[in-house]
Amino acid sequence: EAQVTQNPRYLITVTGKKLTVTCSQNMNHEYMSWYRQDPGLGLRQIYYSMNVEVTDKGDVPEGYKVSRKEKRNFPLILESPSPNQTSLYFCASRRSGANSPLHFGNGTRLTVT
Amino acid sequence: QKEVEQNSGPLSVPEGAIASLNCTYSDRGSQSFFWYRQYSGKSPELIMSIYSNGDKEDGRFTAQLNKASQYVSLLIRDSQPSDSATYLCAVDNTGGFKTIFGAGTRLFVKA
């Protein structure tokens, strides 16, 4: 089954404790992206990757890191989480080029206390 | 001005009616436009995509695009309670390396 898999689904952590949210896709998509979703603000892009070893900042990259060492994986790293990073996070992928919709993972609900 | 704007709603329609959802965007070079449906706590799922001016129909859904007016809409005919969700308008920027989402419109369909 074609899918984007995120883990974990739920995560509660404390301020400053490094964490990684994993994302993997099995559709051979070149493009991958991370979004956060907050009430009233919609989906905002954190980072995206056009291909292996090619990443770039989205609209809200502060406090986040990403890497793209393999085509299928695109982990999101929070080196020192803060309470304002409490949010619902989505990983998504799509083919490169125009006219290609995003395929989303199931989301990770992160709470930082 | 936000890059992609939608009425936040909520929009409430009776069962069987037509629901009309609207979206405007600011990037004149945008070429790809999408509507996603999102149930509470779930991930967005693609409903419609549209790439050229005019109407595109798929079952009960019709997407409309007017690039001159920078306007995209989604019509849902014969609305059902199961259509109650948040509808997200999404637009690819010029170059297609970013997909920008509106804040979403909440739709309630009353039985």
Side-chain angles (χ1 to χ4, degrees):
Chain A
E1 179 189 354
Q3 59 185 1
V4 179
T5 303
Q6 282 179 244
N7 280 298
R9 291 293 309 279
Y10 301 92
L11 180 57
I12 301 173
T13 190
V14 295
T15 299
K17 186 176 181 181
K18 181 179 178 180
L19 66 90
T20 299
V21 184
T22 64
C23 175
S24 180
Q25 51 91 8
N26 62 1
M27 294 169 279
N28 202 35
H29 286 165
E30 294 84 7
Y31 183 97
M32 298 186 74
S33 183
W34 277 102
Y35 289 86
R36 61 177 288 174
Q37 186 172 38
D38 302 289
L41 297 177
L43 284 160
R44 294 180 293 167
Q45 191 176 46
I46 302 171
Y47 269 95
Y48 65 95
S49 170
M50 300 290 283
N51 214 325
V52 176
E53 302 292 0
V54 181
T55 63
D56 208 345
K57 296 177 181 179
D59 297 316
V60 288
E62 295 77 19
Y64 304 95
K65 284 177 57 177
V66 293
S67 68
R68 187 90 181 275
K69 294 182 170 58
E70 305 164 283
K71 197 173 189 178
R72 63 183 293 124
N73 295 323
F74 191 45
L76 179 69
I77 303 158
L78 284 73
E79 295 270 4
S80 182
S82 62
N84 64 12
Q85 292 178 298
T86 292
S87 188
L88 178 59
Y89 291 85
F90 288 104
C91 179
S93 72
R94 62 172 170 80
R95 291 181 289 105
S96 62
N99 305 343
S100 181
L102 288 166
H103 299 255
F104 284 88
N106 286 332
T108 296
R109 186 167 292 281
L110 171 65
T111 302
V112 184
T113 61
Chain B
Q1 181 191 4
K2 292 182 181 178
E3 293 177 277
V4 179
E5 293 206 58
Q6 297 180 251
N7 289 328
S8 61
L11 174 64
S12 183
V13 301
E15 183 175 359
I18 295 174
S20 177
L21 306 164
N22 304 314
C23 172
T24 58
Y25 61 94
S26 61
D27 184 347
R28 285 197 167 274
S30 296
Q31 297 295 323
S32 305
F33 308 87
F34 310 93
W35 284 99
Y36 291 84
R37 177 176 63 198
Q38 186 178 26
Y39 294 112
S40 181
K42 302 295 187 181
S43 58
E45 56 177 331
L46 182 72
I47 297 296
M48 293 284 288
S49 58
I50 187 165
Y51 311 123
S52 54
N53 280 329
D55 295 359
K56 179 182 177 182
E57 186 175 317
D58 183 1
R60 295 187 296 113
F61 299 95
T62 298
Q64 299 173 316
L65 173 62
N66 183 327
K67 290 184 180 179
S69 300
Q70 295 174 249
Y71 176 87
V72 193
S73 67
L74 179 70
L75 298 178
I76 307 175
R77 289 181 299 282
D78 189 23
S79 294
Q80 301 297 308
S82 59
D83 294 327
S84 297
T86 296
Y87 288 80
L88 304 172
C89 175
V91 178
D92 280 357
N93 71 335
T94 303
F97 54 87
K98 288 178 68 174
T99 301
I100 302 160
F101 286 81
T105 299
R106 292 200 68 187
L107 173 66
F108 292 102
V109 181
K110 298 173 294 185

